[in-house]
Amino acid sequence: MRHVTIMGVPFLHIGQQGFVDLLVNRIEQQEKTFVVTANPEVVMQANENPTVMSYLQQATYICADGIGVVKAAQMLGDSLPERVTGYDTMVRLLEVGQQKHFKIYLLGAQKETIEKTVANIHQNYPNVDVVGYHDGYFDWNNNDFANEIATLQPDLVFVALGVPRQEKWITENLDKFSKGVFIGVGGSFDVIAGTVKRAPVIWQKLNLEWFYRLLRQPSRFGRMLVLPRFALKIIALKLKGQGKTK
């Protein structure tokens, strides 16, 4: 499949619906799949931390979760079709799972948040089988529940531990599973639980969802400082004539 490589990170050249269709097909074929949803912050972390880059290199697919990645690809001479967000991917997979009776497992977030997430999934997607869940607070060196998850044989494992912890957990435990789609979804549980409100559609269409989140959560300001650094890196690559496609 075609990829667009940005600062060493190979992004799948695909749109949102096409990506969901791809993952559904892999679920039906029982092909084990590791998905990374990467925004500019993830790209910068991978370039500044070889361990994070090693997690990304284990992924089956990396999708462009962030308008900054899409704009960067355009600047470097080979556009990506659109953003492919972790939240939208999760919701659409739940919609398909409602029809196809997918089995899912959820890992991450605070106890109250994940319980609300599970309750809302039960309410909105009653045919989706939530075979289990665990909050994001556990002893990393004694997390035998990965083996327990494997015995449940879920079709989908949504991991919301934040970057890079969610990619680390998937990388370290993937070999315990024989099938399933494993995808890091960041703060998606908070949105599904209703504890965090997603940006209105108009903000999404204007590609200002990141700004809306900043206004709602000023504590994110420190994290947002990575965006200008990312932009400067892309401009420097553009000036050097570096834009890689494969």
CSV table of all heavy atoms in Angstrom, one decimal, residues 26-67:
chain,number,residue,atom,x,y,z
A,26,ARG,N,-9.7,-6.7,7.8
A,26,ARG,CA,-8.6,-7.5,8.5
A,26,ARG,C,-9.2,-8.2,9.8
A,26,ARG,O,-8.8,-9.3,10.1
A,26,ARG,CB,-7.5,-6.5,9.0
A,26,ARG,CG,-6.7,-6.1,7.8
A,26,ARG,CD,-5.5,-5.2,8.2
A,26,ARG,NE,-4.5,-6.0,8.9
A,26,ARG,CZ,-3.5,-6.6,8.4
A,26,ARG,NH1,-3.3,-6.7,7.1
A,26,ARG,NH2,-2.6,-7.3,9.1
A,27,ILE,N,-10.2,-7.6,10.4
A,27,ILE,CA,-10.9,-8.3,11.5
A,27,ILE,C,-11.6,-9.6,11.0
A,27,ILE,O,-11.5,-10.6,11.6
A,27,ILE,CB,-12.0,-7.4,12.1
A,27,ILE,CG1,-11.3,-6.2,12.9
A,27,ILE,CG2,-12.9,-8.2,13.0
A,27,ILE,CD1,-12.3,-5.2,13.4
A,28,GLU,N,-12.3,-9.4,9.8
A,28,GLU,CA,-13.0,-10.6,9.3
A,28,GLU,C,-12.0,-11.7,8.8
A,28,GLU,O,-12.4,-12.9,8.8
A,28,GLU,CB,-13.9,-10.1,8.1
A,28,GLU,CG,-15.0,-9.2,8.6
A,28,GLU,CD,-15.9,-8.7,7.5
A,28,GLU,OE1,-15.4,-8.6,6.4
A,28,GLU,OE2,-17.1,-8.4,7.8
A,29,GLN,N,-10.8,-11.3,8.4
A,29,GLN,CA,-9.8,-12.2,8.0
A,29,GLN,C,-8.9,-12.7,9.1
A,29,GLN,O,-8.0,-13.5,8.9
A,29,GLN,CB,-8.9,-11.6,6.9
A,29,GLN,CG,-9.6,-11.2,5.6
A,29,GLN,CD,-10.3,-12.4,4.9
A,29,GLN,OE1,-9.6,-13.5,4.8
A,29,GLN,NE2,-11.5,-12.2,4.4
A,30,GLN,N,-9.3,-12.2,10.3
A,30,GLN,CA,-8.5,-12.5,11.6
A,30,GLN,C,-7.0,-12.3,11.4
A,30,GLN,O,-6.2,-13.0,11.9
A,30,GLN,CB,-8.8,-14.0,11.9
A,30,GLN,CG,-10.2,-14.3,12.3
A,30,GLN,CD,-10.4,-15.7,12.9
A,30,GLN,OE1,-9.5,-16.4,13.2
A,30,GLN,NE2,-11.7,-16.0,13.2
A,31,GLU,N,-6.7,-11.1,10.8
A,31,GLU,CA,-5.3,-10.7,10.7
A,31,GLU,C,-5.0,-9.7,11.8
A,31,GLU,O,-5.6,-8.7,12.0
A,31,GLU,CB,-5.1,-10.0,9.3
A,31,GLU,CG,-5.3,-10.9,8.2
A,31,GLU,CD,-5.1,-10.2,6.8
A,31,GLU,OE1,-6.0,-9.5,6.4
A,31,GLU,OE2,-4.0,-10.4,6.2
A,32,LYS,N,-4.0,-10.0,12.6
A,32,LYS,CA,-3.6,-9.2,13.7
A,32,LYS,C,-3.0,-7.9,13.2
A,32,LYS,O,-2.2,-7.8,12.2
A,32,LYS,CB,-2.5,-9.9,14.5
A,32,LYS,CG,-2.1,-9.2,15.8
A,32,LYS,CD,-1.4,-10.2,16.8
A,32,LYS,CE,-0.2,-10.8,16.2
A,32,LYS,NZ,0.5,-11.6,17.2
A,33,THR,N,-3.5,-6.8,13.8
A,33,THR,CA,-3.2,-5.4,13.2
A,33,THR,C,-2.9,-4.4,14.4
A,33,THR,O,-3.7,-4.4,15.3
A,33,THR,CB,-4.4,-4.9,12.4
A,33,THR,OG1,-4.8,-5.9,11.4
A,33,THR,CG2,-4.1,-3.6,11.7
A,34,PHE,N,-1.8,-3.7,14.2
A,34,PHE,CA,-1.4,-2.7,15.2
A,34,PHE,C,-1.5,-1.3,14.5
A,34,PHE,O,-0.9,-1.1,13.5
A,34,PHE,CB,0.0,-3.0,15.7
A,34,PHE,CG,0.6,-1.9,16.5
A,34,PHE,CD1,-0.1,-0.9,17.1
A,34,PHE,CD2,2.0,-2.0,16.8
A,34,PHE,CE1,0.5,0.1,17.9
A,34,PHE,CE2,2.6,-1.0,17.6
A,34,PHE,CZ,1.9,0.0,18.2
A,35,VAL,N,-2.4,-0.5,15.0
A,35,VAL,CA,-2.7,0.9,14.4
A,35,VAL,C,-2.1,2.0,15.3
A,35,VAL,O,-2.4,2.0,16.5
A,35,VAL,CB,-4.2,1.1,14.2
A,35,VAL,CG1,-4.4,2.5,13.6
A,35,VAL,CG2,-4.7,0.0,13.2
A,36,VAL,N,-1.4,2.9,14.8
A,36,VAL,CA,-1.0,4.1,15.5
A,36,VAL,C,-1.7,5.3,14.9
A,36,VAL,O,-1.6,5.4,13.6
A,36,VAL,CB,0.6,4.3,15.4
A,36,VAL,CG1,1.0,5.7,16.0
A,36,VAL,CG2,1.3,3.2,16.2
A,37,THR,N,-2.3,6.1,15.7
A,37,THR,CA,-2.9,7.3,15.2
A,37,THR,C,-2.0,8.4,15.6
A,37,THR,O,-1.9,8.8,16.8
A,37,THR,CB,-4.3,7.5,15.8
A,37,THR,OG1,-4.2,7.5,17.3
A,37,THR,CG2,-5.3,6.4,15.4
A,38,ALA,N,-1.3,9.0,14.6
A,38,ALA,CA,-0.2,9.9,14.9
A,38,ALA,C,-0.5,11.3,14.4
A,38,ALA,O,-0.9,11.6,13.3
A,38,ALA,CB,1.1,9.4,14.2
A,39,ASN,N,-0.3,12.3,15.4
A,39,ASN,CA,-0.4,13.7,15.1
A,39,ASN,C,1.0,14.3,15.1
A,39,ASN,O,2.0,13.6,15.3
A,39,ASN,CB,-1.4,14.4,16.1
A,39,ASN,CG,-0.9,14.2,17.5
A,39,ASN,OD1,0.2,13.9,17.8
A,39,ASN,ND2,-1.8,14.4,18.4
A,40,PRO,N,1.1,15.6,14.9
A,40,PRO,CA,2.5,16.2,15.0
A,40,PRO,C,3.2,15.9,16.3
A,40,PRO,O,4.5,15.8,16.2
A,40,PRO,CB,2.2,17.7,14.8
A,40,PRO,CG,1.0,17.8,13.9
A,40,PRO,CD,0.1,16.6,14.4
A,41,GLU,N,2.5,15.9,17.4
A,41,GLU,CA,3.2,15.6,18.6
A,41,GLU,C,3.8,14.2,18.6
A,41,GLU,O,5.0,14.1,19.1
A,41,GLU,CB,2.2,15.7,19.8
A,41,GLU,CG,2.8,15.5,21.2
A,41,GLU,CD,1.7,15.6,22.3
A,41,GLU,OE1,0.5,15.8,22.0
A,41,GLU,OE2,2.1,15.4,23.4
A,42,VAL,N,3.1,13.3,18.1
A,42,VAL,CA,3.7,11.9,18.0
A,42,VAL,C,4.9,11.9,17.1
A,42,VAL,O,5.9,11.2,17.4
A,42,VAL,CB,2.6,10.9,17.5
A,42,VAL,CG1,3.2,9.5,17.3
A,42,VAL,CG2,1.4,10.9,18.5
A,43,VAL,N,4.8,12.6,15.9
A,43,VAL,CA,6.0,12.6,15.0
A,43,VAL,C,7.2,13.2,15.7
A,43,VAL,O,8.3,12.7,15.5
A,43,VAL,CB,5.6,13.4,13.7
A,43,VAL,CG1,6.8,13.5,12.8
A,43,VAL,CG2,4.4,12.7,13.0
A,44,MET,N,7.0,14.3,16.4
A,44,MET,CA,8.1,14.9,17.1
A,44,MET,C,8.7,14.0,18.2
A,44,MET,O,9.9,13.9,18.4
A,44,MET,CB,7.6,16.3,17.7
A,44,MET,CG,7.4,17.3,16.7
A,44,MET,SD,8.8,17.8,15.7
A,44,MET,CE,9.7,18.7,16.9
A,45,GLN,N,7.8,13.3,19.0
A,45,GLN,CA,8.3,12.4,20.0
A,45,GLN,C,9.1,11.3,19.3
A,45,GLN,O,10.2,10.9,19.9
A,45,GLN,CB,7.1,11.8,20.7
A,45,GLN,CG,6.5,12.7,21.8
A,45,GLN,CD,5.5,11.9,22.7
A,45,GLN,OE1,5.8,10.8,23.0
A,45,GLN,NE2,4.4,12.5,23.1
A,46,ALA,N,8.7,10.8,18.2
A,46,ALA,CA,9.4,9.7,17.6
A,46,ALA,C,10.7,10.2,17.1
A,46,ALA,O,11.7,9.4,17.1
A,46,ALA,CB,8.5,9.2,16.4
A,47,ASN,N,10.8,11.4,16.6
A,47,ASN,CA,12.1,11.9,16.1
A,47,ASN,C,13.1,12.3,17.3
A,47,ASN,O,14.3,12.4,17.0
A,47,ASN,CB,11.9,13.2,15.2
A,47,ASN,CG,11.6,12.8,13.8
A,47,ASN,OD1,12.4,12.8,13.0
A,47,ASN,ND2,10.3,12.4,13.5
A,48,GLU,N,12.5,12.5,18.4
A,48,GLU,CA,13.4,12.9,19.6
A,48,GLU,C,13.7,11.8,20.5
A,48,GLU,O,14.5,11.9,21.4
A,48,GLU,CB,12.7,14.1,20.3
A,48,GLU,CG,12.6,15.4,19.4
A,48,GLU,CD,11.8,16.5,20.1
A,48,GLU,OE1,11.2,16.2,21.1
A,48,GLU,OE2,11.7,17.6,19.5
A,49,ASN,N,12.9,10.7,20.3
A,49,ASN,CA,13.1,9.5,21.2
A,49,ASN,C,13.1,8.2,20.4
A,49,ASN,O,12.1,7.8,19.9
A,49,ASN,CB,11.9,9.5,22.3
A,49,ASN,CG,12.1,8.4,23.3
A,49,ASN,OD1,12.7,7.4,23.1
A,49,ASN,ND2,11.5,8.7,24.5
A,50,PRO,N,14.3,7.6,20.3
A,50,PRO,CA,14.4,6.4,19.5
A,50,PRO,C,13.4,5.3,19.9
A,50,PRO,O,13.0,4.5,19.1
A,50,PRO,CB,15.8,6.0,19.6
A,50,PRO,CG,16.5,7.2,20.0
A,50,PRO,CD,15.6,8.0,20.8
A,51,THR,N,13.1,5.2,21.2
A,51,THR,CA,12.2,4.2,21.7
A,51,THR,C,10.8,4.4,21.2
A,51,THR,O,10.2,3.4,20.8
A,51,THR,CB,12.2,4.2,23.3
A,51,THR,OG1,13.5,4.0,23.8
A,51,THR,CG2,11.3,3.1,23.8
A,52,VAL,N,10.4,5.6,21.1
A,52,VAL,CA,9.1,5.9,20.6
A,52,VAL,C,9.1,5.5,19.1
A,52,VAL,O,8.1,4.9,18.6
A,52,VAL,CB,8.7,7.4,20.8
A,52,VAL,CG1,7.3,7.7,20.1
A,52,VAL,CG2,8.6,7.7,22.3
A,53,MET,N,10.1,5.9,18.4
A,53,MET,CA,10.2,5.5,17.0
A,53,MET,C,10.2,4.0,16.8
A,53,MET,O,9.5,3.5,15.8
A,53,MET,CB,11.5,6.1,16.3
A,53,MET,CG,11.6,5.8,14.8
A,53,MET,SD,10.4,6.6,13.8
A,53,MET,CE,11.1,8.3,13.6
A,54,SER,N,10.8,3.3,17.7
A,54,SER,CA,10.7,1.8,17.6
A,54,SER,C,9.3,1.3,17.7
A,54,SER,O,9.0,0.3,17.1
A,54,SER,CB,11.7,1.2,18.6
A,54,SER,OG,11.1,1.3,19.9
A,55,TYR,N,8.5,1.9,18.5
A,55,TYR,CA,7.1,1.5,18.7
A,55,TYR,C,6.4,1.7,17.3
A,55,TYR,O,5.7,0.8,16.9
A,55,TYR,CB,6.4,2.3,19.8
A,55,TYR,CG,6.9,2.2,21.1
A,55,TYR,CD1,6.8,3.2,22.1
A,55,TYR,CD2,7.6,1.0,21.6
A,55,TYR,CE1,7.3,3.1,23.4
A,55,TYR,CE2,8.1,0.9,22.8
A,55,TYR,CZ,7.9,1.9,23.7
A,55,TYR,OH,8.4,1.8,25.0
A,56,LEU,N,6.6,2.9,16.7
A,56,LEU,CA,5.9,3.2,15.5
A,56,LEU,C,6.4,2.2,14.4
A,56,LEU,O,5.6,1.8,13.5
A,56,LEU,CB,6.2,4.6,15.0
A,56,LEU,CG,5.2,5.7,15.6
A,56,LEU,CD1,5.1,5.7,17.1
A,56,LEU,CD2,5.5,7.0,15.0
A,57,GLN,N,7.6,1.8,14.4
A,57,GLN,CA,8.1,0.9,13.4
A,57,GLN,C,7.5,-0.5,13.5
A,57,GLN,O,7.6,-1.3,12.5
A,57,GLN,CB,9.7,0.8,13.5
A,57,GLN,CG,10.4,2.1,13.1
A,57,GLN,CD,11.8,2.1,13.4
A,57,GLN,OE1,12.3,1.3,14.2
A,57,GLN,NE2,12.6,3.0,12.8
A,58,GLN,N,6.9,-0.8,14.6
A,58,GLN,CA,6.2,-2.1,14.8
A,58,GLN,C,4.8,-2.1,14.3
A,58,GLN,O,4.1,-3.1,14.1
A,58,GLN,CB,6.2,-2.5,16.3
A,58,GLN,CG,7.6,-2.7,16.9
A,58,GLN,CD,8.4,-3.7,16.2
A,58,GLN,OE1,8.0,-4.8,16.0
A,58,GLN,NE2,9.7,-3.3,15.9
A,59,ALA,N,4.3,-0.9,14.0
A,59,ALA,CA,2.9,-0.7,13.6
A,59,ALA,C,2.6,-1.3,12.2
A,59,ALA,O,3.4,-1.2,11.3
A,59,ALA,CB,2.5,0.7,13.7
A,60,THR,N,1.4,-1.9,12.1
A,60,THR,CA,0.9,-2.3,10.8
A,60,THR,C,0.6,-1.1,9.9
A,60,THR,O,0.9,-1.0,8.7
A,60,THR,CB,-0.3,-3.2,10.9
A,60,THR,OG1,-0.1,-4.2,11.9
A,60,THR,CG2,-0.6,-3.9,9.6
A,61,TYR,N,-0.1,-0.1,10.5
A,61,TYR,CA,-0.5,1.1,9.9
A,61,TYR,C,-0.4,2.3,10.8
A,61,TYR,O,-0.6,2.2,12.0
A,61,TYR,CB,-2.0,1.0,9.4
A,61,TYR,CG,-2.4,-0.2,8.6
A,61,TYR,CD1,-3.4,-1.1,9.0
A,61,TYR,CD2,-1.8,-0.4,7.3
A,61,TYR,CE1,-3.7,-2.1,8.2
A,61,TYR,CE2,-2.2,-1.5,6.6
A,61,TYR,CZ,-3.1,-2.3,7.0
A,61,TYR,OH,-3.5,-3.4,6.2
A,62,ILE,N,0.0,3.4,10.2
A,62,ILE,CA,0.0,4.7,10.9
A,62,ILE,C,-0.8,5.6,10.1
A,62,ILE,O,-0.6,5.8,8.9
A,62,ILE,CB,1.5,5.2,11.0
A,62,ILE,CG1,2.4,4.3,11.7
A,62,ILE,CG2,1.5,6.6,11.7
A,62,ILE,CD1,3.8,4.7,11.8
A,63,CYS,N,-1.8,6.2,10.8
A,63,CYS,CA,-2.7,7.1,10.1
A,63,CYS,C,-2.5,8.6,10.6
A,63,CYS,O,-2.0,8.8,11.7
A,63,CYS,CB,-4.2,6.7,10.3
A,63,CYS,SG,-4.8,6.7,12.0
A,64,ALA,N,-3.0,9.5,9.8
A,64,ALA,CA,-2.7,10.9,10.0
A,64,ALA,C,-3.8,11.5,10.9
A,64,ALA,O,-4.8,12.1,10.5
A,64,ALA,CB,-2.7,11.7,8.7
A,65,ASP,N,-3.6,11.4,12.2
A,65,ASP,CA,-4.5,12.0,13.2
A,65,ASP,C,-4.1,13.4,13.6
A,65,ASP,O,-3.6,13.6,14.6
A,65,ASP,CB,-4.6,11.1,14.5
A,65,ASP,CG,-5.7,11.5,15.4
A,65,ASP,OD1,-6.3,12.5,15.3
A,65,ASP,OD2,-5.9,10.7,16.4
A,66,GLY,N,-4.4,14.3,12.7
A,66,GLY,CA,-4.1,15.7,12.9
A,66,GLY,C,-3.9,16.5,11.6
A,66,GLY,O,-3.3,16.0,10.7
A,67,ILE,N,-4.5,17.6,11.6
A,67,ILE,CA,-4.5,18.4,10.3
A,67,ILE,C,-3.0,18.9,10.1
A,67,ILE,O,-2.6,19.1,8.9
A,67,ILE,CB,-5.4,19.7,10.4
A,67,ILE,CG1,-5.5,20.3,9.0
A,67,ILE,CG2,-5.0,20.6,11.5
A,67,ILE,CD1,-6.1,19.4,8.0
